[in-house]
Amino acid sequence: MVKAVWIKHASQLVTLANKAKGPRIKDAMSELAIIEGGSIWLENGIIQAVGTTEELEALYKQREIDAEIIDATGYLVTPGLVDPHTHVAFGGSREREFEMRLKGATYMEIMNSGGGIHATTQMTRDATEDELVRQTSNRLDSFLAHGVTTIEGKSGYGLDLETELKQLLVMKRLQDEHPIDIVPTFMGAHAVPVAFKGREDEYVDLIINEMLPVVAKEKLAKFNDVFCEVGVFTPEQSERILEAGKSFGLIPKIHADEIEPYHGAELSAKVGAISAEHLLKASDDGIKAMAKQEVIACLLPATALYLRENAAKGRAMIDAGVPVAISTDCNPGSSPTTSMPLVMNLACISMHLTPAESLCAATYNAACAIQMEDKVGSLEVGKQADVVLWNVQSYQQLQYLFGVNHVKTVWKKGLKVVG
């Protein structure tokens, strides 16, 4: 049995506790429920008690000998970070494209020339399942080292049934073999394969008639995502794919309005998506529709930075009542990073979120975007004991001191996995 952990005297214990259900919006994103001099007791993988150190001493003083005591004086304690949008399971890398982009090539120019998603698709097809497990496990280790304890992972680098299933099986294996929780998303509609150029509707039919039924039958994914973009899938094709996924019990997500305005935000509201991703070019009407339907905006400021694009209008979305989450978008082409702390800082600088909103977007709202808020995303009794001890004194310092990994210790389900 894993020994209990008693963390005492935290400079700030940021719990994000709130009795309200569902993702936080507007002012609620700034309500972090901080306990100064806080204390938390972890046992059997679950948070057993949260409060001031004095309160927990009254409850647990007689059991002190049973626990590992962590003196958190001068340290920040938060929930484990949650990354709700990654493409973590893939083969190879695309560093050559970074240089191409610096010389002026656009995202779509690179993809249409056989690079981008198509290049990674070939490398992922060529890799064995064991090779993908090894490469992906290394990325998950890096996520943990940056305080991330739960992620979403998408397929989408197969674009055929065999390789899409291989990616999903890799994530299923790692859910059992690696400490991080991985929530799987099927994304056969990440791009149109080169072999189907000019026959895009045939590929849509293939996704609907051949891929989705198998993914659903094997219970390999919880969500179904599509890249709704000019030159990829039209809004009409995207709607067909997402509605078909719903008929198989897969919850819709959508890559929307990343490169050009394309009514993706509006479509996310229409199909009842749990989240819309990217949204760099989302229209005001689309933002209003998302707010009305409570679609979570999953914003990816590191991707915008890497592509040298203006970031999504995070401030305007929050002010409009859209629940906002943030993510690394970890992928080999447009955001090869596992640093959620960097993403939190970029959310403040480039999207004008406050430090409190940014932390909420990387924990509780991120958990809501992958339907994990009942287990993770806040420090509350009964939830998983996913906790990070940071080598800073406050959440404001965490956002302020950027470009440095401040993680000191990470517990996943009460087990120390970093530090």
Side-chain angles (χ1 to χ4, degrees), residues 10 34 102 118 137 172 250 277 302 316 332 366 396:
I34 296 171
L102 293 176
H118 298 303
S137 182
K172 184 176 181 179
L250 299 178
E277 333 282 294
Q396 294 98 330

Side-chain angles (χ1 to χ4, degrees), residues 196-383:
F196 282 84
K197 189 171 183 178
R199 299 185 294 126
E200 290 80 6
D201 284 333
E202 290 183 35
Y203 184 62
V204 172
D205 291 338
L206 180 68
I207 292 170
I208 292 172
N209 297 324
E210 296 188 25
M211 296 188 187
L212 282 170
V214 177
V215 170
K217 181 181 178 182
E218 299 297 325
K219 298 181 180 179
L220 292 174
K222 185 171 186 176
F223 303 103
N224 178 35
D225 202 343
V226 60
F227 193 1
C228 180
E229 186 61 63
V230 176
V232 191
F233 295 96
T234 67
E236 294 75 22
Q237 292 168 335
S238 300
E239 185 175 356
R240 283 187 61 207
I241 292 166
L242 295 176
E243 289 293 346
K246 286 164 65 175
S247 72
F248 288 105
L250 299 178
I251 301 164
K253 288 178 172 282
I254 179 170
H255 281 50
D257 303 317
E258 179 185 5
I259 310 299
E260 297 185 34
Y262 207 39
H263 304 293
E266 291 90 336
L267 180 59
S268 73
K270 181 180 180 181
V271 300
I274 190 171
S275 65
E277 333 282 294
H278 288 286
L279 299 168
L280 275 66
K281 310 295 185 181
S283 69
D284 291 343
D285 286 342
I287 292 172
K288 290 177 183 176
M290 288 178 61
K292 184 177 180 180
Q293 296 299 321
E294 298 182 344
V295 179
I296 298 169
C298 189
L299 306 182
L300 316 170
T303 308
L305 175 70
Y306 206 74
L307 295 177
R308 297 190 292 181
E309 296 283 348
N310 291 328
K313 296 180 284 191
R315 175 80 272 137
M317 292 180 191
I318 291 175
D319 292 345
V322 177
V324 168
I326 56 175
S327 165
T328 63
D329 188 23
C330 174
N331 76 79
S334 61
S335 189
T337 183
T338 56
S339 179
M340 279 292 282
L342 174 62
V343 168
M344 286 192 287
N345 175 266
L346 291 175
C348 296
I349 292 175
S350 65
M351 300 194 305
H352 308 290
L353 273 66
T354 67
E357 290 167 341
S358 180
L359 185 54
C360 176
T363 52
Y364 185 78
N365 274 10
C368 290
I370 52 175
Q371 288 195 339
M372 286 286 284
E373 68 271 24
D374 289 342
K375 293 183 178 180
V376 302
S378 62
L379 301 179
E380 300 179 78
V381 173
K383 285 194 171 185

Side-chain angles (χ1 to χ4, degrees), residues 63-109:
R63 290 196 57 204
E64 192 168 31
I65 194 172
D66 299 330
E68 178 185 4
I69 307 298
I70 307 296
D71 183 0
T73 301
Y75 295 104
L76 169 71
V77 177
T78 74
L81 303 182
V82 178
D83 192 330
H85 176 129
T86 85
H87 301 262
V88 69
F90 60 85
S93 65
R94 301 198 331 244
E95 62 277 3
R96 186 177 67 88
E97 294 177 12
F98 177 59
E99 189 168 352
M100 291 172 64
R101 193 173 295 114
L102 293 176
K103 292 179 179 178
T106 68
Y107 180 94
M108 293 305 295
E109 286 172 346

Side-chain angles (χ1 to χ4, degrees), residues 137-178:
S137 182
N138 288 338
R139 296 180 198 113
L140 296 179
D141 289 344
S142 183
F143 271 115
L144 273 183
H146 287 89
V148 178
T149 53
T150 300
I151 70 165
E152 180 256 23
K154 303 179 192 294
S155 66
Y157 290 124
L159 308 184
D160 60 29
L161 179 59
E162 178 184 2
T163 316
E164 291 293 313
L165 294 178
K166 180 168 66 174
Q167 281 188 274
L168 292 169
L169 287 168
V170 163
M171 288 186 277
K172 184 176 181 179
R173 275 182 59 180
L174 286 167
Q175 172 68 12
D176 295 331
E177 297 173 10
H178 198 278

